Amino acid sequence: MESEQYDDVDLQILHALHLDARAPFSRIASVIGVSDQTVARRCARLRAEGSLRIWGLVDPSRLGHIEWLVRIRCAPDSAADIASALARRTDTSWISRTSGGTELVCRTSAPTPADELLLRTLPRSARILDLSAHCLLHVFFGRSDSVITKLAALSPGQAAQLTPHPAPATGPVEPVRLDDVDHRILSLLRGDGRVPLNQLAAETGVSHSTVQRRITELRDNGVLYFDIDTERTRLGLPIRTQLWLTVPPADLAGTGRALAGHPEVAFAAAVTGTRNIYASVSTPTVPGVYAYLTNTLSGLPAVQSIESSLVLHTVKGPAGMRSPGADH
């Protein structure tokens, strides 16, 4: 039996949580005009159903790490074993099967470009037909951005009330160095982005005020962001398509900004390789993919070629586990 789509209040709550995943339910309730109990009850129901997960994630680039999108084309009888091996690694996320199940696409990160990527841990029996790694150069839309906000469940005024105001960055952007307390806080938030302050303080051995200050600093400097992962079917966007575009270098920035503004685009980034833009698109139906390609994407004059593939299955989500949303 298919899940029912979210109603307006559910969508407003999801939008609010995306803007500030740790906002008190009372503040969300005040902004959207319902009771505290309604917000708490709906969030508890969605989380109990597995329809909502709130994760505190790290932007590897802010730690000076290099991120890669890796495409592995393999024999059909090897795909499941290779996907399982990749999923066991702690440095992989967004592992998806595409192209009739014969291609795997995953995101991984490493401290330096020279670090070994993936091959040593793959099964000896794996039959890999082709592998390519594309360095993630610049994210146009994604991470702290979400396709949820493009549904515009909240008005601009409501969204402004729930959007945190980080301290402005000053000087050159240098990699952030973390200490043991930061690592522990990030580990706990990775499992549940709404872990209460008292639990964080108890498990890190520091005061409530120190925990709150560290979280604020990690968010303000771009290390920590929150992912609101939910069922794409209930958002009315069950079809996910990966796009690999070729664009002249002079048009990369403009094309990326245009993609970021498309309602269908959940993630877009510049990458290395002949196909130098990667994007993930969410649509209600397969005909919706055709409509996007022919009516919207075709309007970007700099796009010279397009490769597209439907995502059949997400093996691993952004926080290192199977996710209901799978939107990147």
Side-chain angles (χ1 to χ4, degrees):
M1 178 177 172
E2 294 187 0
S3 300
E4 294 181 0
Q5 290 195 11
Y6 296 121
D7 64 20
D8 290 343
V9 173
D10 287 334
L11 289 173
Q12 288 179 317
I13 292 171
L14 292 172
H15 192 165
L17 288 171
H18 169 75
L19 295 172
D20 187 359
R22 294 188 63 82
F25 288 155
S26 58
R27 185 152 71 91
I28 295 174
S30 175
V31 170
I32 68 177
V34 298
S35 68
D36 301 8
Q37 292 81 4
T38 295
V39 175
R41 183 178 67 252
R42 292 203 179 207
C43 283
R45 172 175 53 80
L46 293 176
R47 296 181 81 170
E49 293 171 350
S51 297
L52 171 64
R53 295 175 182 175
I54 303 171
W55 290 325
L57 303 179
V58 172
D59 179 348
S61 68
R62 293 297 295 118
L63 303 182
H65 291 188
I66 309 298
E67 286 188 277
W68 303 84
L69 287 172
V70 181
R71 305 179 70 181
I72 301 174
R73 191 165 61 90
C74 48
D77 58 354
S78 294
D81 288 343
I82 294 173
S84 296
L86 292 175
R88 287 193 292 270
R89 292 180 61 110
T90 59
D91 59 352
T92 59
S93 62
W94 294 121
I95 302 172
S96 300
R97 291 183 68 172
T98 69
S99 302
T102 61
E103 182 178 72
L104 301 171
V105 179
C106 76
R107 191 187 304 178
T108 185
S109 63
T112 71
D115 277 12
E116 174 202 5
L117 281 173
L118 299 168
L119 288 177
R120 184 176 298 176
T121 56
L122 295 180
R124 292 181 180 274
S125 60
R127 290 197 291 153
I128 296 175
L129 307 179
D130 185 53
L131 183 146
S132 61
H134 307 264
C135 182
L136 205 64
L137 300 176
H138 179 77
V139 175
F140 300 112
F141 189 85
R143 300 204 202 282
S144 59
D145 301 315
S146 171
V147 73
I148 291 173
T149 63
K150 294 182 175 182
L151 300 176
L154 299 177
S155 70
Q158 289 174 315
Q161 294 180 64
L162 288 161
T163 303
H165 300 285
T170 58
V173 178
E174 298 290 337
V176 176
R177 295 186 179 276
L178 307 178
D179 62 18
D180 290 343
V181 173
D182 293 326
H183 281 295
R184 185 60 180 150
I185 291 172
L186 290 170
S187 177
L188 292 166
L189 291 174
R190 179 173 174 266
D192 180 1
R194 288 188 65 90
V195 176
L197 276 180
N198 58 356
Q199 182 179 340
L200 288 169
E203 297 201 33
T204 56
V206 297
S207 67
H208 287 207
S209 60
T210 297
V211 169
Q212 184 60 68
R213 176 173 56 81
R214 293 291 186 99
I215 290 176
T216 299
E217 290 173 352
L218 290 167
R219 295 180 77 174
D220 289 351
N221 63 28
V223 172
L224 171 66
Y225 67 98
F226 290 91
D227 185 89
I228 308 305
D229 196 33
T230 188
E231 288 184 87
R232 310 296 299 187
T233 299
R234 299 187 69 179
L235 288 175
L237 301 169
I239 305 300
R240 187 163 68 99
T241 306
Q242 295 182 347
L243 303 179
W244 300 86
L245 313 179
T246 301
V247 175
D251 296 306
L252 267 176
T255 303
R257 287 193 297 269
L259 286 167
H262 293 172
E264 299 88 349
V265 172
F267 185 84
V271 298
T272 56
T274 303
R275 302 196 184 279
N276 51 6
I277 289 184
Y278 166 83
S280 177
V281 172
S282 297
T283 57
T285 62
V286 171
V289 180
Y290 176 78
Y292 174 74
L293 294 176
T294 56
N295 298 332
T296 305
L297 194 59
S298 64
L300 301 182
V303 176
Q304 297 176 333
S305 66
I306 303 168
E307 180 184 350
S308 59
S309 56
L310 289 182
V311 173
L312 306 179
H313 176 61
T314 296
V315 180
K316 187 179 185 182
M321 60 190 76
R322 176 71 179 94
S323 64
D327 57 43
H328 291 139

